[in-house]
Structures are given as structure tokens and as C-alpha cells.
């Protein structure tokens, strides 16, 4: 089943007087349960593509479908609600809420979804356990290492049972060991929970483990490789 | 909503020095405003009470002609009937009938123009504070020949003391000039220094005898148990005695009425100005907060926090800051006002004695204007909402994809 489909997706930024084409006619399909890395040099359009797929930015032309719902042209308020219910985000610099503890950060998304309170805490604890941070539930982000913060971010991204998770350079700020730990967790979640994961990355460690690697150059897909792992 | 409240409250304390600075500014600003207002309110109340209890009373009865031409011959018609009605009215605390004439006071060396008030010492003592203002000698009594009470300022000017003899000269009801010798029985000092210099008090009986009309009464001053009873009493007397001019305190002394109506509003304007200045401080703090947290706010919108919640969060943060500061300022004000309302603040060291020219004692007892606390609460809430609007709107204008870059 196709979770994401794009049709002739283009994005042009009007930087001063010179238009910059960030994406050019991108046609892409992501199936449920895929573990996909989007790679390419800086400025190739990776982050722009993720922003478009996550409904954070609107394309100049083309269409995006999440399952069968077209999100291009969707009203801002509907889009926010759509993101809340369908998409999980993991950011390069973690972006946890500093005044909330790890478990409160994970619960936050469920709170926005009006999740029942009793189930919410149970699920938040389960998710923290899945990312190996059950003992850090009541610790605030500033007292966690970068790797631990990113794992909390992964737990938060999964809290709403999203259709897919978008991760923008998730290992960029992590040391090797932390990066491997994070990747192990994500791969396990992908395999065991059939979670669809889409990364933008420069990190060879991520690329080596991905089952599909899409290469972008100058806003266009130049290579789309599938691997059996 | 609970989580938004929790996040907002914790956000307030993310940058403790900055939050404490603005909290302190709000607390001190509000305390200053409220305390200054309470001093002003205390002064106004003192002036009001002093005017009512020493001179004006709650209502007065006159012959309308007396108000136009200050002549002793214009006595109140049916004054005895009015006195009977007042004596039977349970809402009347006390009343004092006065015979009044303008004249001259003379010693062996000096002469001065004065207003001579013939009073019934017992009635006057029940109606005004006159009997308590004697600082030397004694209050008027039934015994002795032609006693007079004079103010301290006048006594100093004429170099008089209890026992001194003076001559009072005035015209009687027929327009003839009458002179009589009086002996100073007491020297008074009220909070109205101007009156202390221009009024003397004699027994009504003595003055009536000298003026040639032993029943003439020019003024009846009435003190009610409660100020709310004034208007009904005025209406009732006007119906019963249409030939007399019945005026309530605000008509007798319009400046009192004006002062009562304007003082609260003026002080509220002062507080609005203070809060406006604080609003800019708050606005600055919240703008810094929004700019510093651009990435975080963007992330919140990315993961699905809608605009209403983002707006509410900024609004709540500002409200928490304002209310916490206002609460501290309110408590500080409450304690200060509570203590000083008992001890009083002595302004005599900073030229406060001149206050008595305006009917205010040098020792002021601060208090709050009625309804002031409710207005403060509204003002604080309004300030927080106004200060939050612009930063919250800025936060809403953040584009998620740009905010997290």
C-alpha cells in the first residue's frame, strides 16, 4: 500500500531576483513499512522534499497524496490537524520541549490528540521503554545526552501512531555509538512494528542500513535503489 | 488545556533572572501606584469626613434669601417645626441650629472681620467635632457671661488667650449696629485653618438676645447616621418645608462632590499610566521570548499544535508573569496599607502642616477607594492581554518549515 505519492512536485524559492529551483518534477511513491533514505549533496533539495511531504511547506506546483488524501492546497488549520494525526517528526536538533520531562514530551502529542489520560501514560512509558529510556522518564531534556534526547524525539514521533515518520538528518549531531543505537532502534521499530520511516541524510551509517536509497541532485531524483536487507 | 497551562507556567521560569526582573518591576510599579492612590484616598476621606463633621454636615436648611444675602434677618421659617421633625426622624443622628452674622472682632489694639456663629453647645457637640477641637481653655458651657470660642490662628494674630476680653460688633435684625463684650473661653484648632482664622463661636442664646430676635435661626445643620440616608431625608424635608432651601452636602460644598467623583478616577488614570509603562516592559520580554524560541514554537506547530493553542500559550505566559507580579505588588500594597492605615503617615516633617489649610490632618491614614481592587484586577488582566497580543501574533506568523531551520 502506498503511503506517500507525489506527482510532478516542484518548488521554486524566489531568493531576491534569482529564482532557485529546489525541487523539479519529483515523482515518488513510498510504500507502507519502507525504510528509506533520501541522500544527496547539500542544496540538493532533501529538506525541501521532507518539508513538502510533511505538509510543512507548500509546493510551487504538483501534488502530494498521503494515502488517498491530497495535502497540497489544504488549509493551514486542517494541515496542522492532519500532521498531528498522520505524521511523526524527528528533527536534526531534537527539538524537545525543554520545560517538560521525557515522558511529558512523549505524552504531549497524545495530549494534543485528546488521548485518554490513563492510556496515555501507559503508552508513553512503553515507547520510552522501546527506545531504552524507561529509567529517564522523569528527566528533563537538558539532563539527557544528545543520543538520549533523539531517542525521546523518536518516541514522541511514534506517540500518535503516525502513518509515517519523517526524520531530517537525525544522526547529524550524534556520536558514532549514539547514532548506531538510534539506528538500531529505528530499524527494529521498522521491522517489528512495520513503521514507515523516511530520512534525509548525509550519514553513510544510515545509508548503509536503508532498504531504499533515493538520490537527489539539483532538486531531481537521479537514482532510486532498493536493497534486500 | 492543562498541559498548555503547565508548559506556560514552566516557560515563565525558564529564564529566571529575566522573569524576576519583570515581576519585580510589575510588583514595585503596582505597589507604588496602589500605595500612592491609597494615600490620596486617605487624604480625600479625611478631607470629606472633616468637612462633613466640622462644618458642612450631611444636609443644611436655610431661608433661600439668606443664601443670596448673608443677612441675619433672613431666618428659617417654621424653624421650630423643622427641629421637631428632625428630632423625631430616626435616621437623623444629630442636628444643630445656628444663628449667624458677619461682624468685627476687636481687641484693644487690633480689629478683624469674622463670621459669628451662635450655637447651641450641646447640639453642636453632637453634630460636629467642635467640642473636641479645644486646645486651650474649655468648650462653651451654659454658665458664665458671653463666652466665645476662637480659632488658634485668630488667637495668635490678636494675641488672645483664654480669659482675654474681646468686643464683637455686628448688625442686629433691624440693621442697627450692636457691640458686646465677650470673654475667650477656649481656643480651638480644627483641620480647617482658614475657618480657624475667620470664625468665632458664641452661645446662640447670647447672640439671639443681642440681635433683637430671640428665636432667629439662620441655619440648621443635620448629620445622618448613614450617608445613604441623606437623599431621602432631603426629599422629605423639601416636601414638608417648601419655603426653605434644603441642600445636601454636595450642593453646600460642590468641591467635596467633585473631589469625591474625580479623585478615584484621577488615581485610576495614574495607575493606567503605570500599567501602560509596565506593559511595554512585558511586551519586550515576551517578544524576546518568542524570538528566542522561534525553533521551539515552529516545532510545536510542526507536530500539530494548532494556532489557538500556541496563541493561548503565549497569552498564558504573559498572564502568569503579570498576575504573579501583580499578586506580589498587591500583597505588598495590602501589608503596607494595613500597617499605615493603623499607624498613619506623618507628613508634618515635609510641610504637611499646610495640608490643614485644605481640611486634611498632617497624619494621613491610607485606604483604598471603594471598588478600586476590582478595577485593579481588570487593569492587570487587560495589561497582560494587551502585552501578549503582539508577541502571540508574531508567534502565529512563524512558518513551521522556516522556524525549525
Amino acid at each position: 500500500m502506498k503511503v506517500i505519492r507525489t506527482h510532478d512536485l516542484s518548488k521554486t524559492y524566489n531568493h531576491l531576483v534569482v529564482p532557485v529551483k529546489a525541487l523539479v518534477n519529483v515523482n515518488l511513491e513510498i510504500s507502507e513499512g519502507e525504510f528509506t533514505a533520501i541522500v544527496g549533496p547539500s542544496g540538493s533539495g532533501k529538506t525541501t522534499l521532507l518539508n513538502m511531504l510533511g505538509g510543512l511547506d507548500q509546493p510551487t506546483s504538483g501534488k502530494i497524496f498521503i494515502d488517498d488524501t491530497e495535502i497540497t492546497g489544504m488549509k493551514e488549520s486542517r494541515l496542522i490537524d492532519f500532521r498531528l494525526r498522520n505524521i511523526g517528526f524527528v528533527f536534526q536538533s531534537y527539538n524537545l520541549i525543554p520545560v517538560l520531562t521525557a515522558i511529558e514530551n512523549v505524552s504531549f502529542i497524545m495530549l494534543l490528540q485528546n488521548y485518554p489520560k490513563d492510556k496515555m501514560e501507559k503508552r508513553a512509558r512503553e515507547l520510552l521503554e522501546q527506545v531504552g529510556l524507561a529509567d529517564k522518564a522523569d528527566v528533563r531534556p537538558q539532563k539527557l545526552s544528545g543520543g538520549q534526547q533523539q531517542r525521546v524525539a523518536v518516541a514522541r514521533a511514534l506517540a500518535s501512531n503516525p502513518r509515517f515518520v519523517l526524520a531530517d538528518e537525525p544522526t547529524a549531531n550524534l556520536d558514532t555509538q549514539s547514532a548506531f543505537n538510534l539506528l538500531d532502534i529505528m530499524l527494529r521499530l521498522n521491522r517489528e512494528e512495520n513503521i514507515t520511516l523516511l530520512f534525509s541524510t548525509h550519514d553513510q551509517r544510515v545509508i548503509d542500513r536503508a532498504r531504499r536509497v533515493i538520490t537527489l541532485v539539483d532538486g531531481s531524483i537521479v537514482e532510486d535503489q532498493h536493497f534486500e536487507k | 488545556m492543562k498541559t498548555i497551562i503547565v508548559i506556560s507556567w514552566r516557560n515563565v521560569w525558564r529564564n529566571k533572572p529575566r522573569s524576576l526582573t519583570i515581576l519585580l518591576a510589575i510588583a514595585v510599579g503596582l505597589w507604588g501606584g496602589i500605595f500612592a492612590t491609597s494615600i490620596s484616598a486617605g487624604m480625600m476621606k479625611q478631607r470629606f469626613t472633616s468637612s462633613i463633621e466640622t462644618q458642612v454636615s450631611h444636609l443644611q436648611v436655610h431661608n433661600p434669601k439668606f443664601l443670596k444675602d448673608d443677612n441675619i434677618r433672613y431666618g428659617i421659617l417654621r424653624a421650630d417645626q423643622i427641629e421637631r421633625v428632625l428630632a423625631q426622624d430616626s435616621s437623623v443622628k444629630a442636628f444643630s441650629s445656628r444663628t449667624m452674622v458677619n461682624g468685627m472682632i476687636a481687641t484693644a489694639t487690633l480689629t478683624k472681620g469674622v463670621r459669628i456663629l451662635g450655637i447651641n453647645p450641646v447640639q453642636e457637640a453632637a453634630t460636629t467635632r467642635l467640642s473636641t477641637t479645644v486646645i486651650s481653655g474649655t468648650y462653651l458651657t451654659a454658665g458664665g457671661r458671653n463666652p466665645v470660642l476662637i480659632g488658634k490662628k485668630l488667637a495668635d494674630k490678636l494675641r488672645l488667650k483664654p480669659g482675654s476680653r474681646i468686643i464683637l460688633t455686628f448688625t442686629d435684625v433691624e440693621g442697627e449696629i450692636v457691640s458686646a463684650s465677650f470673654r475667650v473661653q477656649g481656643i480651638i484648632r480644627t483641620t480647617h485653618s482658614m475657618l480657624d482664622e475667620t470664625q468665632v463661636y458664641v452661645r446662640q442664646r447670647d447672640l439671639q438676645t443681642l440681635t433683637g430676635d430671640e428665636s432667629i435661626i439662620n441655619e440648621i445643620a443635620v448629620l445622618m447616621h448613614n450617608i445613604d440616608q441623606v437623599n431621602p431625608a432631603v426629599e422629605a424635608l423639601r416636601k414638608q418645608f417648601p419655603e426653605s432651601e434644603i441642600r445636601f452636602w454636595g450642593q453646600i460644598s460642590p468641591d467635596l462632590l467633585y473631589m469625591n467623583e474625580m479623585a478615584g478616577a484621577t488615581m485610576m488614570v495614574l495607575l493606567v499610566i503605570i500599567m501602560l509603562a509596565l506593559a511595554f516592559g512585558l511586551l519586550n520580554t515576551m517578544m524576546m521570548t518568542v524570538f528566542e524560541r522561534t525553533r521551539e514554537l515552529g516545532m510545536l506547530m510542526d507536530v500539530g499544535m494548532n494556532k489557538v493553542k500556541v496563541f493561548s500559550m503565549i497569552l498564558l505566559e504573559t498572564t502568569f508573569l503579570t498576575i504573579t507580579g501583580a499578586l506580589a505588588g498587591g500583597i505588598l500594597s495590602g501589608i503596607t496599607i494595613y500597617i499605615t492605615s493603623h499607624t498613619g503617615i506623618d507628613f508634618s516633617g515635609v510641610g504637611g502642616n499646610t495640608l490643614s489649610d485644605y481640611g486634611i490632618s498632617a497624619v494621613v491614614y491610607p485606604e483604598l477607594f471603594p471598588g478600586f481592587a476590582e478595577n485593579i484586577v481588570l487593569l492587570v488582566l487587560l495589561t497582560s492581554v494587551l502585552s501578549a497580543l503582539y508577541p502571540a501574533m508574531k508567534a502565529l506568523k512563524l512558518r513551521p518549515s522556516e522556524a525549525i531551520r
Side-chain angles (χ1 to χ4, degrees), chain B residues 2-275:
Chain B
K2 193 184 158 199
T3 307
I4 303 295
I5 293 171
V6 169
I7 293 177
S8 303
W9 176 249
R10 290 184 190 172
N11 277 337
V12 167
W13 302 107
R14 273 164 84 157
N15 190 329
K16 281 196 183 99
R18 188 167 65 201
S19 293
L20 284 172
T21 304
I22 190 75
L23 284 180
L24 205 64
I26 294 170
V28 172
L30 204 61
W31 170 76
I34 293 176
F35 191 49
T37 303
S38 73
I39 292 174
S40 169
M43 285 180 174
M44 295 303 120
K45 188 175 179 188
Q46 253 178 279
R47 162 110 206 268
F48 181 78
T49 311
S50 140
S51 293
I52 294 291
E53 292 182 1
T54 57
Q55 188 196 7
V56 178
S57 300
H58 283 132
L59 65 97
Q60 289 183 1
V61 184
H62 294 97
N63 180 329
K65 287 181 182 168
F66 182 79
L67 295 173
K68 288 182 187 137
D69 178 7
D70 201 2
N71 193 314
I72 190 169
R73 84 166 75 121
Y74 300 123
I76 298 169
L77 304 173
R78 296 197 286 155
D80 54 336
Q81 286 182 39
I82 296 174
E83 284 183 320
R84 271 202 296 279
V85 167
L86 292 173
Q88 285 164 8
D89 188 341
S90 60
S91 65
V92 172
K93 187 177 178 187
F95 66 89
S96 175
S97 16
R98 298 164 184 159
T99 301
M100 300 156 81
V101 65
N102 291 325
M104 305 288 286
I105 182 170
T107 64
T109 52
L110 291 162
T111 305
K112 208 167 179 317
V114 286
R115 188 169 181 79
I116 305 159
L117 266 75
I119 56 167
N120 174 328
V122 178
Q123 280 186 348
E124 193 69 29
T127 312
T128 71
R129 291 183 193 160
L130 188 68
S131 63
T132 64
T133 60
V134 178
I135 54 169
S136 168
T138 59
Y139 183 61
L140 297 178
T141 50
R145 188 168 174 274
N146 286 356
V148 62
L149 286 182
I150 63 169
K152 174 83 166 69
K153 262 194 164 178
L154 186 61
D156 289 345
K157 283 198 170 172
L158 300 179
R159 295 184 210 109
L160 296 171
K161 56 186 183 194
S164 301
R165 283 209 162 273
I166 54 147
I167 303 292
L168 290 178
T169 306
F170 47 89
T171 54
D172 66 10
V173 290
E174 302 299 335
E176 298 296 327
I177 292 176
V178 179
S179 284
S181 167
F182 284 77
R183 185 182 293 277
V184 177
Q185 176 142 351
I187 293 174
I188 59 169
R189 181 160 63 198
T190 69
T191 47
H192 287 258
S193 59
M194 212 153 58
L195 292 182
D196 289 354
E197 196 178 345
T198 55
Q199 269 185 186
V200 299
Y201 299 85
V202 300
R203 284 187 308 222
Q204 189 177 40
R205 187 162 30 88
D206 299 339
L207 191 60
Q208 284 170 334
T209 308
L210 288 165
T211 55
D213 182 342
E214 298 206 348
S215 63
I216 194 144
I217 292 172
N218 300 104
E219 179 175 281
I220 301 174
V222 185
L223 190 68
M224 311 299 292
H225 282 289
N226 188 319
I227 198 163
D228 298 332
Q229 297 165 328
V230 175
N231 285 341
V234 168
E235 292 305 316
L237 286 170
R238 277 178 185 163
K239 270 188 191 161
Q240 281 181 275
F241 304 99
E243 70 279 13
S244 290
E245 183 76 35
I246 322 284
R247 298 181 304 162
F248 81 102
W249 58 269
Q251 290 169 302
I252 303 161
S253 182
D255 59 316
L256 273 188
L257 187 65
Y258 178 76
M259 179 188 79
N260 253 23
E261 285 175 355
M262 289 304 292
T266 310
M267 295 319 287
M268 208 62 212
V269 169
L270 170 75
L271 267 174
V272 167
I273 293 168
I274 291 173
M275 290 310 283

Side-chain angles (χ1 to χ4, degrees), chain A residues 11 13 51 56-57 76 80 83-84 89 91 93 95-101 104 108-109 111-112 117 140 156, chain B residues 2-4 6-7 10-11 14 295-296 298-307 309 399-402 404-405:
Chain A
K11 177 72 179 179
Y13 291 110
N51 283 344
L56 302 178
D57 205 352
E76 178 71 16
I80 288 174
R83 286 201 296 265
L84 174 64
F89 291 91
F91 304 98
S93 48
N95 284 351
L96 297 175
I97 303 170
V99 293
L100 299 184
T101 61
E104 286 170 337
F108 181 69
I109 304 293
L111 270 166
L112 293 177
K117 201 182 168 190
R140 287 199 188 180
R156 178 180 67 183
Chain B
K2 193 184 158 199
T3 307
I4 303 295
V6 169
I7 293 177
R10 290 184 190 172
N11 277 337
R14 273 164 84 157
R295 176 183 285 272
E296 185 184 318
M299 177 278 295
L300 290 171
M301 288 191 266
D302 285 355
V303 298
M305 190 164 165
N306 64 36
K307 291 191 169 187
K309 289 193 168 102
R399 294 186 60 190
S401 60
E402 288 174 9
I404 57 164
R405 251 176 223 169

